[in-house]
Amino acid sequence: MTTATRENIMPAEWRDFWALTKPRVMSLVVFTALCGLLAAPGEIHPVIGFTAILCLAMGAGACGALNQWYEADVDAKMARTSKRPLPAGRMDREAALHFGIGLAAFSVGIMGVAVNWLSAGILAFSIFFYSVVYTIWLKPNTPQNIVIGGAAGAFPPVIGWTAVTSDVTLLPILLFAIIFLWTPPHFWSLALFMKTDYGAAGIPMLPNVSGQKVTRNQIFAYSFPMAVAAIAPFALGQAGWLYGISAIVLNLLFLGLAFNVWRNQATEASAMKPEKKLFAFSILYLFLLFGLFAFDRMLIL
Amino acid sequence: MTPTEPHVYSVEETRIIRARQAARSRVMGVVLVGLCILFFLITIVKVGVWG
């Protein structure tokens, strides 16, 4: 039985509700969605475009809140997440649940009414996929959690695209594929040097279940189809030389860093510089790739 | 089983609660004003005033 402390009977601060939305994750979602929106053929009124991105941000915030509501006990066991509002006792769980559901319903409703119902449907599915399929089902049960769960994070550019065009063609599917295939190397490189933390929380990340060697093999293996997906828009004539050359250079760098991870034999986090480098570069990679893609498409459209 | 006594807030706790409620109300106010403006603009765009 848990006892309410003096701290958790206080009303939560607005900053804690903001922290529930995982603002840093939200910024990546907003950025990739904006790139999808800018790269799409056709026109969208700036007010409607802004509304689409706002709804996506709220949807991502809802995912963060529902994720933290469900994982409050797990978060309390990991140093990285123990300071979040729920495990730190600054907010009660019911408030987080209501906030998450409210934000999800509001974002989908406004997206449908103001933008289009295809985008709203994909947004609703991605919130369900992240909150239920990934958080509740996959994450605690399989080391392949982030492979399949990565799909949830791959929807934003597709939604940005459909906000303009109201249909799904090959290019948004390629944008989806890039993020989907980028997610395993990105998260597994983090999981390698954060292994102890995930292990303490009982989350079956690949390094804990199959070992570091298998994880490094998988990181390297996923980097190849990711590079193919990233260069495909140029190879298929859907993007110009600016994007094409940038994509080739960025993917060569990514493959080089992934190769260093594959060669590394270290078992201690302090000796995992290649993994830390790959993790840091993977974030820059996605920002640059999508930013250049959107810029390139705006030049050729 | 002894009945639990209601928690009596100290002066300091009451001050913190009031401050948090006031801050949340201010943020909520800003959000609601923002949404009113957004809904107005969406309506104007949808009815075609801006083409």
Side-chain angles (χ1 to χ4, degrees):
Chain A
M1 181 182 155
T2 57
T3 308
T5 64
R6 285 200 166 198
E7 181 60 28
N8 67 22
I9 56 173
M10 293 278 184
E13 287 190 75
W14 68 267
R15 289 178 190 83
D16 291 325
F17 284 98
W18 175 246
L20 270 190
T21 63
K22 297 189 180 178
R24 274 189 292 181
V25 177
M26 195 200 285
S27 67
L28 199 62
V29 166
V30 165
F31 180 75
T32 55
L34 187 62
C35 290
L37 186 141
L38 293 172
E43 287 182 1
I44 186 169
H45 194 284
V47 171
I48 305 300
F50 173 78
T51 307
I53 298 298
L54 183 70
C55 289
L56 259 156
M58 288 194 293
C63 290
L66 293 170
N67 173 275
Q68 289 187 53
W69 162 74
Y70 187 76
E71 293 189 337
D73 296 332
V74 175
D75 284 346
K77 295 173 187 165
M78 296 199 289
R80 188 173 62 88
T81 53
S82 61
K83 300 286 188 292
R84 285 176 175 174
L86 290 172
R90 299 196 303 274
M91 180 186 282
D92 67 88
R93 287 179 82 154
E94 207 172 47
L97 177 63
H98 292 168
F99 181 65
I101 290 175
L103 214 50
F106 194 70
S107 63
V108 171
I110 301 300
M111 181 76 97
V113 171
V115 184
N116 59 56
W117 285 102
L118 175 65
S119 303
I122 302 173
L123 179 62
F125 180 73
S126 63
I127 294 170
F128 167 80
F129 196 87
Y130 184 84
S131 307
V132 178
V133 177
Y134 171 67
T135 302
I136 297 177
W137 181 39
L138 294 171
K139 195 171 177 182
N141 291 311
T142 168
Q144 294 298 312
N145 46 22
I146 52 105
V147 177
I148 309 162
F155 281 115
V158 181
I159 299 171
W161 184 283
T162 58
V164 180
T165 64
S166 296
D167 68 353
V168 180
T169 50
L170 176 65
L171 214 43
I173 292 170
L174 280 174
L175 297 178
F176 176 94
I178 292 168
I179 301 183
F180 182 72
L181 294 164
W182 165 88
T183 307
H186 169 74
F187 271 106
W188 281 334
S189 57
L190 172 73
L192 275 170
F193 60 84
M194 290 287 230
K195 187 188 168 194
T196 324
D197 229 357
Y198 281 120
I203 297 172
M205 293 301 280
L206 195 62
N208 304 79
V209 177
S210 304
Q212 294 174 333
K213 186 65 195 162
V214 171
T215 308
R216 288 185 170 110
N217 290 345
Q218 294 279 315
I219 287 172
F220 195 39
Y222 269 99
S223 303
F224 286 96
M226 182 201 72
V228 171
I231 296 167
F234 169 67
L236 295 171
Q238 300 287 313
W241 281 98
L242 173 70
Y243 174 78
I245 292 167
S246 309
I248 290 167
V249 171
L250 284 168
N251 281 283
L252 283 174
L253 286 169
F254 197 108
L255 284 167
L257 291 169
F259 177 71
N260 288 341
V261 169
W262 181 66
R263 278 195 318 172
N264 195 18
Q265 304 280 327
T267 53
E268 294 301 315
S270 57
M272 291 189 186
K273 278 188 181 165
E275 287 78 4
K276 289 171 186 171
K277 273 187 184 173
L278 179 63
F279 176 72
F281 178 75
S282 66
I283 297 167
L284 181 70
Y285 167 91
L286 203 66
F287 268 107
L288 286 176
L289 196 76
F290 272 76
L292 286 163
F293 178 71
F295 185 66
D296 186 282
R297 289 276 302 175
M298 286 165 74
L299 290 180
I300 63 171
L301 283 175
Chain B
M1 188 178 155
T2 54
T4 50
E5 287 183 19
H7 178 74
V8 180
Y9 292 103
S10 67
V11 175
E12 180 57 18
E13 283 176 330
T14 307
R15 191 193 62 76
I16 293 169
I17 289 170
R18 292 281 179 269
R20 286 185 183 185
Q21 285 173 333
R24 278 171 61 162
S25 298
R26 277 195 295 272
V27 171
M28 205 61 201
V30 170
V31 170
L32 286 174
V33 169
L35 284 174
C36 285
I37 295 168
L38 182 66
F39 291 165
F40 170 74
L41 292 175
I42 290 169
T43 307
I44 295 293
V45 170
K46 286 283 177 187
V47 298
V49 176
W50 282 346

